[in-house]
Amino acid sequence: MKGIITSFRRGRKTQTMNQVIIQPEGSDNKEKASKIVGKAVVFKTPSGKELKGEIRAPHGVKGCVRALFTTGMPGQSLGKPVEIN
């Protein structure tokens, strides 16, 4: 399954660089998003590195999910695809 990174997890004055919001394809409500919690996520950088993470929770009511990565994500990752296994 594929998804797109839409944003970092953030508050009014803070931004968490290792947590991102992902919109999976085919997921358009909270029930579908909650079914993929616990799956692995892989982001491939242009240099060939693989950054690995895990889907932790649904986010909102439009089918987005929150993913926690082991390292901080680069700013260039916004809008780029990820692989959900």
Side-chain angles (χ1 to χ4, degrees):
M1 176 186 291
K2 294 194 181 279
I4 298 202
I5 297 176
T6 58
S7 176
F8 290 110
R9 182 180 186 195
R10 60 192 177 98
R12 192 170 145 217
K13 295 184 178 183
T14 60
Q15 179 168 299
T16 309
M17 300 299 285
N18 67 334
Q19 296 186 33
V20 294
I21 308 300
I22 298 174
Q23 176 65 55
E25 64 180 22
S27 177
D28 57 355
N29 58 23
K30 194 171 188 174
E31 288 77 29
K32 289 181 184 177
S34 62
K35 290 180 183 178
I36 61 172
V37 171
K39 292 195 175 194
V41 180
V42 177
F43 173 71
K44 295 180 182 174
T45 63
S47 63
K49 258 181 151 177
E50 287 189 348
L51 302 177
K52 297 180 181 181
E54 178 187 0
I55 295 178
R56 290 292 177 100
H59 180 84
V61 296
K62 292 186 177 180
C64 293
V65 292
R66 190 176 77 234
L68 177 70
F69 282 85
T70 55
T71 65
M73 297 293 286
Q76 293 85 357
S77 66
L78 296 179
K80 298 290 195 278
V82 292
E83 185 69 33
I84 300 170
N85 299 327

